[in-house]
């Protein structure tokens, strides 16, 4: 799977690919790598259509700065009119993007990655949505610092993104944060105006994004923009493909007692062999984060030190990137009063899963029973599904194999 950040994403300008996503999907089913799934076939066909359209799509280059200013002012003046037209889809000859939505483990990311690998358009980028937002905030800060008089850095940022990518693929599109919600509407409108095509995977249908939260009303125009530019494809077959694999019994240890602690000691010793035990300070985005117990590729944490403190996606991404192996002691059962803690745990696991990290834990209960009720218990279903996959023998094999998390520089 391609999981490089936006800035590091490779660009290909190779020969037209003989196979599109549907043919590739069929090949994998025929070879037994994938199980046949009619819902996936339908989405693969939709992505195939977009692939064909993209092969013929070469939008005019993005306009230079001065002209763009005029263009954006025009756009802003049209915005109220555009935003009121909730029922219309845009039909401007530009290929429509696809928003793939469904429950966990249904193959959304797998299909998007398959599609992405087929596209030969020169400027294409595939990125986890949390990483994208992290880069957006970073670039907005840089723009403001470099141009103290600049009143609105979003249009120039959108232009830079559009210059780098005609196709943007976002994995796990989600809005958790009012600051992101406020930026996204205008950023996306400017990206669509610059003829960028977007494909996204998500567990949430566009109409439910950022709903029932303070500020949700102000976010509604963004939902409209998404609906006008992207086709929603529901991928919701019966099977969560992360389940039913061979489980490894060293990764998720229940209960979190003294025996579990000793077993985790051995894991740390095994992966950290030859390295000193030390305290490390991670530095990123102008922040520092102390890690009290590091040993080469391993970092060991108590659950509370990671999830009961006000840490966010950036912290977890930094930890995931720095330490291929994470050992975590004492994951408690969570209840309705632990919604914040559970939300951080979800974000942590998203970061570790996306980066392919190895995770060894001791816990009060199995992933499915950890957070049965409370705000966010629905979202936790994805985390439980991911934790099951991260406890499988195939996950460990991948982490140890070529290109796996342990072999990365
Ligand atoms: N038809 C299939 N046959 C076998 N394995 C599959 C099939 N579809 C998906 N998988 C595997 O199941 C796992 C989960 O798929 P994927 O990551 O694409 O799910 P997802 O829908 O993106 O889930 P989430 O919402 O949690 O992100 C992956 O390892 C994927 O390769
Ligand atoms: Mg996914």
């Amino acid at each position: 799977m391609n999981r490089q950040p936006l800035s590091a994403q490779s660009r290909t300008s190779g020969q037209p690919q003989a196979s599109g996503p549907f043919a590739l999907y069929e090949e994998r089913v025929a070879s037994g790598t994938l199980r046949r799934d009619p819902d996936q076939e339908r989405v693969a066909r939709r992505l195939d259509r977009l692939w064909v359209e993209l092969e013929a799509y070469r939008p005019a280059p993005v306009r230079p700065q001065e002209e763009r200013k005029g263009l954006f002012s025009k756009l802003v003046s049209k915005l109220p009119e555009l935003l009121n037209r909730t029922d219309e889809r845009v039909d401007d000859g530009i290929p429509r993007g696809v928003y793939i939505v469904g429950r966990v483990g249904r193959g959304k990311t797998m299909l998007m990655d398959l599609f992405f690998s087929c596209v030969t358009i020169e400027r294409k980028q595939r990125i986890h949505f949390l990483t994208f937002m992290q880069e957006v905030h970073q670039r907005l800060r840089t723009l403001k610092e470099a141009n103290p008089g600049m009143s609105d850095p979003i249009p120039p940022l959108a232009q830079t993104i559009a210059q780098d990518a005609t196709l943007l693929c976002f994995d796990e599109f989600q809005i958790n944060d009012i600051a992101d919600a406020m930026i996204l509407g205008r950023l996306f409108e400017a990206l669509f105006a610059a003829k960028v095509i977007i494909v996204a995977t998500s567990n949430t249908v566009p109409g439910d994004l950022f709903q029932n939260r303070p500020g949700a009303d102000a976010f509604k125009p963004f939902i409209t923009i998404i609906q006008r530019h992207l086709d929603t494809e529901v991928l919701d077959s019966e099977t969560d493909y992360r389940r039913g694999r061979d489980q490894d019994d060293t990764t998720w240890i229940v209960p979190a007692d003294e025996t579990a602690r000793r077993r985790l000691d051995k894991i740390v010793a095994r992966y950290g062999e030859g390295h000193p035990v030390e305290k490390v300070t991670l530095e990123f985005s102008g922040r520092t984060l102390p890690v009290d117990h590091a040993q080469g590729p391993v970092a060991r944490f108590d659950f509370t030190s990671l999830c009961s403190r006000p840490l966010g996606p950036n912290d977890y991404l930094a930890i995931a990137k720095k330490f291929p192996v994470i050992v975590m002691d004492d994951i408690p059962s969570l209840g309705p009063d632990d919604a914040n803690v559970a939300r951080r745990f979800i974000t942590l696991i998203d970061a570790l899963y996306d980066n392919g990290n190895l995770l060894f834990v001791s816990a009060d209960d199995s992933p499915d029973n950890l957070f049965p009720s409370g705000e966010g218990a629905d979202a936790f279903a994805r985390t439980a599904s991911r934790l099951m996959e991260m406890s499988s023998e195939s996950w460990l094999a991948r982490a140890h194999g070529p290109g796996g998390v342990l072999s990365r520089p």
Side-chain angles (χ1 to χ4, degrees):
M1 260 185 274
N2 193 334
R3 299 201 186 277
Q4 289 176 339
L6 184 65
S7 46
Q9 185 65 61
S10 67
R11 292 161 200 185
T12 52
S13 56
Q15 297 299 309
Q17 183 104 0
S19 299
F22 184 70
L24 219 57
Y25 178 82
E26 288 289 296
E27 259 174 42
R28 292 195 185 174
V29 170
S31 70
T33 316
L34 294 175
R35 273 155 54 192
R36 181 171 295 286
D37 179 321
D39 283 290
Q40 290 184 348
E41 279 179 353
R42 175 178 44 76
V43 176
R45 281 186 197 281
R46 175 65 189 86
L47 291 171
D48 209 74
R49 182 148 64 83
L50 179 57
W51 169 71
V52 170
E53 289 168 349
L54 279 174
E55 291 306 290
Y57 182 61
R58 296 292 180 267
V62 176
R63 291 161 188 246
Q65 192 78 33
E66 307 76 57
E67 285 177 60
R68 292 202 307 256
K69 225 172 163 188
L71 181 73
F72 196 77
S73 317
K74 270 188 235 156
L75 179 70
V76 167
S77 66
K78 272 177 62 189
L79 211 52
E81 177 202 337
L82 287 171
L83 299 185
N84 284 330
R85 290 160 49 185
T86 55
D87 54 337
E88 289 180 35
R89 295 160 25 124
V90 168
D91 184 11
D92 46 13
I94 299 171
R96 287 178 66 74
V98 181
Y99 186 104
I100 310 167
V101 64
R103 282 176 293 167
V104 298
R106 265 52 185 184
K108 300 180 292 297
T109 300
M110 180 274 292
L111 285 173
M112 186 176 79
D113 285 341
L114 212 113
F115 160 79
F116 186 83
S117 71
C118 297
V119 171
T120 62
I121 205 163
E122 255 187 50
R123 292 172 295 131
K124 61 170 187 175
Q125 295 176 337
R126 185 265 192 220
I127 187 165
H128 192 274
F129 194 68
L130 289 179
T131 312
F132 174 75
M133 281 318 295
Q134 193 185 13
E135 293 202 13
V136 163
H137 287 293
Q138 176 64 45
R139 289 198 201 178
L140 287 174
R141 264 198 305 274
T142 311
L143 271 168
K144 279 189 207 153
E145 277 162 21
N147 309 279
M150 184 182 273
S151 58
D152 185 1
I154 290 181
L157 172 65
Q159 294 300 338
T160 320
I161 296 173
Q163 273 162 357
D164 286 347
T166 303
L167 169 71
L168 269 176
C169 289
F170 291 125
D171 196 26
E172 285 170 42
F173 193 86
Q174 54 188 296
I175 320 285
N176 301 317
D177 183 318
I178 183 81
D180 293 354
M182 293 300 102
I183 291 169
L184 279 170
R186 296 181 50 242
L187 180 62
F188 269 55
E189 187 65 31
L191 289 176
F192 288 130
K195 301 184 168 48
V196 173
I197 314 298
I198 290 177
V199 174
T201 77
S202 182
N203 299 117
T204 311
V205 292
D208 288 347
L209 286 167
F210 203 66
Q211 292 309 289
N212 305 318
R213 310 272 291 268
D217 281 351
F219 186 70
K220 286 219 162 95
F222 176 58
I223 294 175
T224 307
I225 291 168
I226 294 276
Q227 289 166 334
R228 294 182 72 237
H229 288 272
L230 306 184
D231 287 338
T232 299
E233 285 288 338
V234 178
L235 180 55
D236 214 12
S237 46
E238 283 308 303
T239 313
D240 174 350
Y241 288 100
R242 294 207 184 90
R243 293 177 185 268
R245 297 166 183 241
D246 292 338
Q247 295 297 303
D248 174 276
D249 59 5
T250 63
T251 47
W252 190 275
I253 306 170
V254 176
D257 57 9
E258 201 39 49
T259 312
R261 186 167 289 277
R262 280 199 298 275
R263 283 175 66 187
L264 292 179
D265 288 345
K266 283 192 187 144
I267 299 277
V268 174
R270 179 177 149 213
Y271 283 99
E273 194 180 350
H275 298 275
V277 177
E278 57 187 352
K279 290 188 179 192
V280 171
T281 302
L282 303 183
E283 292 179 26
F284 53 94
S285 310
R287 267 174 68 82
T288 57
L289 178 70
V291 176
D292 288 342
H293 187 142
Q295 191 173 357
V298 196
R300 185 172 192 170
F301 301 93
D302 280 333
F303 176 82
T304 48
S305 72
L306 274 185
C307 299
S308 299
R309 289 195 296 142
L311 300 182
N314 293 354
D315 302 296
Y316 297 137
L317 287 169
I319 290 169
K321 292 265 181 280
K322 174 75 182 169
F323 300 105
V325 183
I326 302 295
V327 173
M328 191 163 34
D329 291 279
D330 300 329
I331 303 180
S333 294
L334 300 171
D337 293 339
D338 301 313
N340 283 336
V341 173
R343 205 181 54 239
R344 288 191 206 104
F345 186 49
I346 290 171
T347 310
L348 167 68
I349 299 306
D350 282 351
L352 298 179
Y353 178 87
D354 199 59
N355 195 51
N357 289 68
L358 280 176
L359 175 67
F360 297 90
V361 311
S362 65
D364 274 354
D365 215 328
S366 64
D368 280 331
N369 297 327
L370 262 191
F371 186 42
S373 60
E375 192 191 318
D378 290 352
F380 198 81
R382 182 180 74 209
T383 304
S385 159
R386 292 182 166 203
L387 288 170
M388 297 301 287
E389 185 174 358
M390 292 172 87
S391 309
S392 68
E393 287 174 4
S394 49
W395 184 269
L396 266 81
R398 203 165 76 194
H400 284 267
V405 71
L406 286 164
S407 62
R408 289 181 212 151

